[in-house]
Amino acid sequence: TNGTHLTTYALGPHGHVLGIAAPHRTPGDHTIASAAAVLLTLLTAPHRSRTSEAGASALVRLLLGASPEDVAPLLGAKHWQVVHARPNTQEPPEPLATAALATALGSPLIDPAGDTVRALVPADRPVDPLPGWTLGVSTTVTPEDWPAADTQAARALSRARALRTPLLRHGDRPALADLVEPHDADVHARTLLAPIAAAPALMDTLRTWLSLHGSWDRTAVALSVHRNTVRQRVARCAALLEADLDDPDVRMELWFALRRT
């Protein structure tokens, strides 16, 4: 009122709120207030809460050889989703931005490794688009399937970046491939892809290229390589597989096989 601008920021999941009242707003005010909100979130969070102690205990047990399904009950959830997040800049994520991401996701289980931040998020917590980030989200899984969900999230993030969409979830609809007996499908996939199986770069390029409907530019963006590199790798795949990649039936069969790897 009377020209005063009031802005509020939630400080994590503990009920604290930062309120700022100012007579006017400038373009840089939001950036400063957001940084203050992140710092206050870290300062007001309990440093050795029961949750953090459980997380530390879970980590120790994993390091000592326990299985994920044995450790997961300490973390308080039975079902999880894996999130891969990458900032919409050319720079690696900064610590403050990573802390803000953890707060927004509502999970302290964050791995800020390299250009991508990985997170384990309980399945009952919604994951929504976040300004400044591109997100890939796995399906809901139990702890024994965390590795598979990690792969799903990585692929979803790669596709989201290529499509320039802020968030993409791994599809979990039943498919025709589900009608094939899993063992037979795996054997077929290994046999079909054997000529390129020892070259991860070729496998990843072919998978990404097929998922993006043969787009050279989008595949280059998703893999962070030059489009000529994509062309060379796809041509190499075609030669090794002795396959006509312009044939939609061939593409469909290869996509089926890649989905099994």
Side-chain angles (χ1 to χ4, degrees):
T1 60
N2 297 325
T4 300
H5 297 269
L6 177 64
T7 309
T8 59
Y9 297 84
L11 304 180
H14 307 291
H16 300 294
V17 175
L18 168 65
I20 299 176
H24 57 82
R25 296 180 63 180
T26 63
D29 288 347
H30 176 71
T31 301
I32 296 172
S34 297
V38 171
L39 291 172
L40 286 171
T41 297
L42 297 176
L43 290 172
T44 57
H47 296 289
R48 291 302 297 173
S49 66
R50 188 171 298 176
T51 299
S52 64
E53 289 178 357
S57 177
L59 175 60
V60 170
R61 294 191 189 188
L62 282 173
L63 291 173
L64 294 179
S67 65
E69 52 267 35
D70 291 335
V71 167
L74 290 172
L75 303 177
K78 294 182 179 180
H79 296 88
W80 298 82
Q81 52 195 329
V82 176
V83 178
H84 280 213
R86 189 161 177 173
N88 298 335
T89 65
Q90 298 300 321
E91 301 297 328
E94 297 179 351
L96 280 179
T98 300
L101 175 68
T103 299
L105 294 175
S107 173
L109 304 177
I110 295 288
D111 175 27
D115 294 334
T116 301
V117 179
R118 302 188 302 171
L120 265 177
V121 181
D124 60 355
R125 296 181 185 172
V127 178
D128 299 316
L130 298 173
W133 294 89
T134 299
L135 305 179
V137 186
S138 75
T139 56
T140 297
V141 298
T142 50
E144 59 267 25
D145 290 325
W146 280 346
D150 186 49
T151 300
Q152 291 177 359
R155 293 175 181 173
L157 174 61
S158 176
R159 186 168 173 80
R161 293 185 66 240
L163 296 176
R164 293 179 172 83
T165 186
L167 184 149
L168 196 67
R169 302 178 190 277
H170 182 83
D172 57 356
R173 295 182 305 165
L176 289 175
D178 297 329
L179 300 177
V180 181
E181 202 280 324
H183 174 73
D184 293 340
D186 290 341
V187 171
H188 174 74
R190 287 195 298 269
T191 302
L192 185 63
L193 297 172
I196 63 172
L202 294 183
M203 292 279 285
D204 290 343
T205 300
L206 183 60
R207 178 184 292 109
T208 304
W209 183 73
L210 289 174
S211 75
L212 296 171
H213 310 291
S215 171
W216 307 109
D217 291 332
R218 289 181 175 179
T219 303
V221 171
L223 297 176
S224 299
V225 299
H226 195 276
R227 60 177 293 168
N228 288 340
T229 301
V230 176
R231 288 183 177 275
Q232 292 167 4
R233 290 180 183 177
V234 171
R236 182 64 176 160
C237 288
L240 291 174
L241 295 171
E242 299 181 350
D244 178 8
L245 297 183
D246 291 327
D247 186 332
D249 288 334
V250 172
R251 290 193 184 193
M252 180 180 67
E253 187 175 18
L254 287 171
W255 180 246
F256 170 85
L258 288 164
R259 295 270 291 179
R260 306 298 306 182
T261 62

